[in-house]
Amino acid sequence: MPHAHHSDACPGCAAAPQAAFARHDHSHCSGDVLARAEALAAEQGVKLTPVRRRVLEILLEEHRALGAYDVLQRLAGEGFGNQPPVAYRALDFLVENGLAHRIRRLNAFAACMHPGEAHAPAFLICRACNHVAEAPAAPVREALDHAAAALGFAIERSNIEALGLCPACRGAGA
Amino acid sequence: MPHAHHSDACPGCAAAPQAAFARHDHSHCSGDVLARAEALAAEQGVKLTPVRRRVLEILLEEHRALGAYDVLQRLAGEGFGNQPPVAYRALDFLVENGLAHRIRRLNAFAACMHPGEAHAPAFLICRACNHVAEAPAAPVREALDHAAAALGFAIERSNIEALGLCPACRGAGA
DNA sequence: TCTTGACATGTTATAGTATAACATACATAG
DNA sequence: CTATGTATGTTATACTATAACATGTCAAGA
């Protein structure tokens, strides 16, 4: 049952950053992202195999951060392997190729909503509804690079995560 | 055997941010930090009990990020409890009270080198020597707040972590 | 003084997250 | 067609974290 609860807040859709936490039908965002993911994979010479593609679809359908074991459970129910490495490998692939992100605070993974746009996003995690939005973080990244440079440290990868309340849950007084 | 390898890079000492990755004797930083931690605890009306204090000392002695089970092992060898909650509770206390930080990328904990200075630090993690430095991150934090505000998101806590190479390891061609 | 309540520590048990190591399949270049 | 690299699948295990309950400690108020 794909995207069964569109009335929920639906963060991080590709359409517009401002719409990240706004209610909207995201079926098209998913298709959109998936199409771009395929193109990107072809372009980079890596293979978006059935498991990998299916994992990305699952992340897009749920439209929130999922634990590896959540993903695994869905895979297993669809005839794929049912052991942890199956999920972890597909997720690692997606992360490695910029098609998904790892949210360390949640021990979870979320589809990247802006694949190919070479971004170092910040993640805004709502502690009430658990939804995760990618915030444009170029200035953040820049400030971080600067701070690191001052110490002679060369950043290779970084993750920036914030916990708080999304607009909807603030309104609801959560 | 406290701080047994001072010839290593020794990041994050309180003396000066610039010295974070420089070689130096840090026995005094530890004492320094510990003293400030005690003062801070008294001031905040919370108790730096023997286990908690010992855990902080262990983090300071090692002067790097330690897993909860690493800490536990040392506690157990000193007559404290040897079950995970003993370590986790002390570590959580320290984090909660600004005396230590949790490094999610490493599933590890490190003593805060600037207790009481109300900072939202960025962590620079060297992938070669595994040392962690706290970088001053006020501008980073500001940029992040700004990005979140644009989406109507209210940040409560955040963590900023970067993986890369520290000056020493860059030099060593690691 | 007694006792009550809050907090800290300790223990048992279990849940949740992740990877090592090896076996099998499958595509594709030579 | 076969050798090679890559992907998938499986078994087993390691690592990280918390729930739930028992015991101990200390200080404030009866």
Side-chain angles (χ1 to χ4, degrees), chain B residues 62-107:
Chain B
E62 291 289 335
H63 213 267
R64 61 190 175 91
L66 249 40
Y69 283 74
D70 296 328
V71 171
L72 179 58
Q73 188 169 354
R74 300 210 32 187
L75 286 179
E78 299 175 14
F80 293 99
N82 67 340
Q83 299 304 317
V86 173
Y88 279 104
R89 283 197 289 236
L91 289 165
D92 287 347
F93 170 89
L94 294 174
V95 170
E96 207 61 34
N97 291 279
L99 302 176
H101 298 290
R102 184 169 197 155
I103 315 294
R104 306 205 91 103
R105 185 152 204 138
L106 301 177
N107 292 324

Side-chain angles (χ1 to χ4, degrees), chain B residues 49 51-52 81 83 89:
Chain B
T49 60
V51 215
R52 292 168 177 174
Q83 299 304 317
R89 283 197 289 236

